[in-house]
Amino acid sequence: MRGKRSAGLLLYRRTDNGPEVLLGHMGGPFFARRGAGAWTVPKGEYEPDETAWDAARREFQEELGLPPPDGEAAPLGEVRQTNGKVVTAWAIEADLDPATVVPGTFEMEWPPKSGRRQEFPELDRVEWFGLDRARELIVPAQAAFLDRLAEHSD
């Protein structure tokens, strides 16, 4: 069985205090009270008939409800998360007001074994973080993207 693959866009902006990145807090009941490890690059899964780049742009639109920004995309490569999923990401310098985000949603049975289905946002909030704070919050494997971005933006 081939592992799942996701692709996403990591927005960054330059500030007087150094670069900041836009991360999303994963929605749904499993992550509701979690901070560290519950923030992610806006991303999503894709099938073999779609390119990672096309998926990253599509998922940005689906997860944030906004068109992906134009601009030069710097490839950040791939990471393998502890769940086995391989994530590919690109960095794009752009600014975005988190208040304009209209997240996509997903449905799941909640509470478990209740037979009831509920809808939750894919990302329940998005925020800008400096690289040090982002490293504390992001899914651990995705911290490599922050390191690669730091190398790229020097």
Side-chain angles (χ1 to χ4, degrees):
M1 180 179 104
R2 192 165 161 259
K4 292 186 177 188
R5 301 185 67 84
S6 283
L9 301 178
L10 178 62
L11 266 54
Y12 72 97
R13 64 185 183 186
R14 298 171 200 266
T15 72
D16 292 341
N17 298 320
E20 292 183 338
V21 294
L22 186 76
L23 299 180
H25 185 269
M26 291 182 270
F30 297 120
F31 299 101
R33 291 184 174 84
R34 288 188 50 197
W39 291 82
T40 183
V41 171
K43 62 170 180 44
E45 293 181 7
Y46 65 99
E47 298 298 325
D49 62 344
E50 184 177 25
T51 69
W53 172 247
D54 289 341
R57 294 180 56 77
R58 174 183 53 76
E59 286 292 337
F60 187 92
Q61 174 86 43
E62 288 179 11
E63 297 236 337
L64 301 181
L66 301 169
D70 293 325
E72 185 178 336
L76 298 176
E78 295 181 343
V79 298
R80 182 177 300 275
Q81 298 183 159
T82 56
N83 62 5
K85 183 183 289 184
V86 174
V87 181
T88 305
W90 287 264
I92 298 180
E93 186 171 1
D95 204 351
L96 179 151
D97 179 355
T100 63
V101 169
V102 181
T105 60
F106 69 97
E107 193 177 275
M108 65 181 282
E109 183 180 23
W110 191 259
K113 300 181 174 131
S114 67
R116 293 188 320 177
R117 299 200 59 83
Q118 292 190 47
E119 192 172 75
F120 298 96
E122 295 272 357
L123 300 173
D124 58 21
R125 61 191 183 276
V126 296
E127 292 182 34
W128 288 100
F129 296 103
L131 294 181
D132 289 341
R133 182 67 176 138
R135 271 187 201 90
E136 296 171 3
L137 296 172
I138 199 165
V139 171
Q142 292 180 28
F145 294 142
L146 304 176
D147 297 336
R148 294 170 193 164
L149 172 64
E151 292 169 12
H152 167 77
S153 60
D154 284 341

